Amino acid sequence: MAVLGTKLTRRDLRFVRFRVAIFVMAVGLAILCFGDPDYVSWWWISIPALLFFSLLPFHHVCIKRLKRAQAVSAFHASRLRRLDREFGADISNGAEFTNDLHPWTQDLDVFGPGSLFQLLNECRTQPGRRKLAEWLQTISDGDTIRLRQARAQGLKNELALRESLACVPDSAQWESAERLLMEWVQESAQPMPWWIVAWSLLIGVIAIPVIVLVLMEMLSLKMLLLVILLQAPAILMTRRQIKSVAQRMDNVDSALRQFGLVMDVFERHSVDEPAIRDLQNRFHSESETASQAIQCLSRLTQWLNNATRNQFFAPIAWACGLFVLLTFLLERWRLKHGRDVADWLETTACLEASLSVAGYSFDHPQDCLPVISDTQPELIAEQVGHPLLKESACVRNSVSLTSDKPLLLISGSNMSGKSTFLRSLGASVVLTLCGSVVRAKSFRTYPFQLATAMRVSDSLQEGRSLFFTVVRRLKTVVDLTEQPRVVLFLLDEILNGTNSHDRRRGAEAVIRSLVARHALGIVTTHDLALTKIAESMSDQAVNKHFEDKITDGQMTFDYTLRDGVVERSNAIELMRMLGLDV
């Protein structure tokens, strides 16, 4: 693609040089024509003019191909950077979807720089990004997850489709455009009286030759003013309707244009997967496709915006009756397609989100497709790793949580890998909800209600201590167990911020409460006293640990999960290594 881009760039430069040379030739001929010499005629300028305009369509094709090559090249460069887990500002990170009170998105890096959202996202429209965000933060049942898996696997090898979508220009107007569009289509259509439209059309047809003749100074300007005056009654009688439609459709044309282009990409690419074809069929009707309808709406909206905002075009639009005629055509469009817009937006969003998941699956062929357990609450992962780490830096571990052994208590020293392991499992569950592959040799899970308590902090402005924040987060996790769906809890350094006695007593009470309510989960700690909890629940709990080694004054970690309780901590050694006298 880089070679093609270089080739097209050179061709574009040649076209530019040819056009400049032709322009210089035309200027030279014009100079020679001054003074009416006998050896040259003004008609000779038509030769370079003809050459200049004949090159335009060929140059336009070259520019179009060059832009596509550049867009495709940028798309592949972005995917290669994300494979190296380098995240730039060119890909939306979904920060606008952040919710501090959500049960897991903050702890599992779902949104923000270097997040799961940024790792997956290939959506071009705001509805598509919102749909992907919805999948990442909403629990789904097994059938829904399997449907998303089928769609993603069906699109997995459609690289040409991904490239075509990447060539669609982005739009920054989606937030306001979508709101205004949905408000407009949900209102009842207001047909105009036929005689007003007929009158405006008749005067508009007359206005066209009048404007031409006035510009050629073959008619008096008074005739144009008369046409404008005759058009006034139709505009005045429909002024409220014109104003209402113009306000609703203000600044939505670029978003509509992008929306139409995205739908056109999905309409033109044939996919064998039935679950994808079902979505694509929603774009087709007997008379026209959804993209054609939206592109028509975009053109009408663009014309109306030009008529109302361009002070030079406004008098011509008035004389030709465009205010009335465009409003009439927009109302007809709303009457015909208004009820379909919400479905088109939803379908496009589903296809974009599915393609994002499919792209991640294509880029990670070694990852496995999770198996969904509908009846038996369990989480069995073999060689699972964190998806946001580079493959070379990722250490994989295995875990098994079942109804018989629902609790895993992991001890370990500071920086040994406890939190990363929790996030590896949590992120894999979140990716499973989207229908994605996960970084594991095998992964089997129930569609749990996920709940985490990892990344907590105090707040001076809100008057919250660290311990109060931790307890409030744990209360949220416990409350989720009152719902019908089985909870998977991931608790990091449980009840950090209080004394050892209260921590042991409170942690055991919370853990026993969660297990009694049939929840499954993992608790990490560096407080060895808490490992006694698992020993007191030996029929339901298992102790595991991470450890470190100190060799020649250097602390090293292998991030490998081992059986049993860690035998020592590293806090004192870490303080000494950093120069503290302890």
Side-chain angles (χ1 to χ4, degrees), residues 71-85:
V72 171
S73 179
F75 164 73
H76 286 294
S78 174
R79 292 310 306 179
L80 289 173
R81 287 195 299 271
R82 281 190 271 185
L83 282 174
D84 289 334
R85 298 310 185 253

Side-chain angles (χ1 to χ4, degrees), residues 172-307:
Q173 299 180 348
W174 262 107
E175 185 174 351
S176 60
E178 186 181 7
R179 175 179 54 82
L180 292 170
L181 178 62
M182 292 308 300
E183 288 177 356
W184 180 66
V185 297
Q186 288 171 3
E187 294 176 354
S188 299
Q190 302 175 18
M192 285 186 173
W194 68 268
W195 58 271
I196 292 180
V197 177
W199 174 262
S200 187
L201 178 61
L202 175 63
I203 301 302
V205 170
I206 296 172
I208 296 174
V210 170
I211 293 173
V212 172
L213 293 173
V214 168
L215 291 175
M216 295 176 64
E217 298 183 353
M218 297 177 66
L219 274 181
S220 170
L221 184 61
K222 294 180 180 179
M223 296 301 298
L224 180 57
L225 296 176
L226 177 61
V227 169
I228 292 175
L229 185 61
L230 291 173
Q231 195 68 258
I235 294 176
L236 292 175
M237 283 186 287
T238 57
R239 65 187 184 280
R240 290 189 177 88
Q241 190 173 356
I242 294 171
K243 182 180 179 181
S244 175
V245 172
Q247 288 177 341
R248 286 280 189 258
M249 305 305 291
D250 188 34
N251 291 323
V252 304
D253 48 311
S254 63
L256 285 173
R257 190 160 52 251
Q258 187 203 40
F259 183 31
L261 290 172
V262 170
M263 285 195 295
D264 181 61
V265 168
F266 285 114
E267 289 168 356
R268 287 187 290 106
H269 283 77
S270 177
V271 180
D272 295 332
E273 172 57 44
I276 295 297
R277 288 205 306 270
D278 289 342
L279 291 176
Q280 289 177 312
N281 289 337
R282 298 181 188 178
F283 292 142
H284 296 276
S285 64
E286 295 181 0
S287 57
E288 59 185 342
T289 63
S291 64
Q292 291 171 341
I294 289 295
Q295 287 166 2
C296 174
L297 179 62
S298 175
R299 288 191 296 270
L300 292 173
T301 302
Q302 189 174 10
W303 274 95
L304 183 61
N305 287 337
N306 287 333

Side-chain angles (χ1 to χ4, degrees), residues 514-534:
L514 290 169
V515 173
R517 299 182 186 190
H518 308 291
L520 282 68
I522 303 176
V523 179
T524 69
T525 182
H526 64 264
D527 188 343
L528 299 184
L530 297 188
T531 61
K532 303 296 182 182
I533 298 173

Side-chain angles (χ1 to χ4, degrees), residues 310-381:
N310 190 323
Q311 59 184 344
F312 299 104
F313 181 63
I316 298 175
W318 179 296
C320 294
L322 293 184
F323 290 101
V324 174
L325 297 176
L326 289 171
T327 303
F328 167 73
L329 292 174
L330 284 167
E331 291 292 355
R332 281 189 60 187
W333 192 99
R334 176 163 61 170
L335 186 63
K336 183 178 181 181
H337 299 294
R339 291 173 294 180
D340 300 324
V341 172
D343 184 55
W344 291 342
L345 284 169
E346 175 69 15
T347 302
T348 302
C350 284
L351 285 168
E352 283 194 281
S354 297
L355 194 63
S356 293
V357 175
Y360 178 81
S361 300
F362 177 84
D363 293 342
H364 300 80
Q366 287 80 29
D367 291 0
C368 75
L369 190 66
V371 176
I372 309 302
S373 174
D374 290 309
T375 57
Q376 186 67 29
E378 59 184 352
L379 174 60
I380 303 173

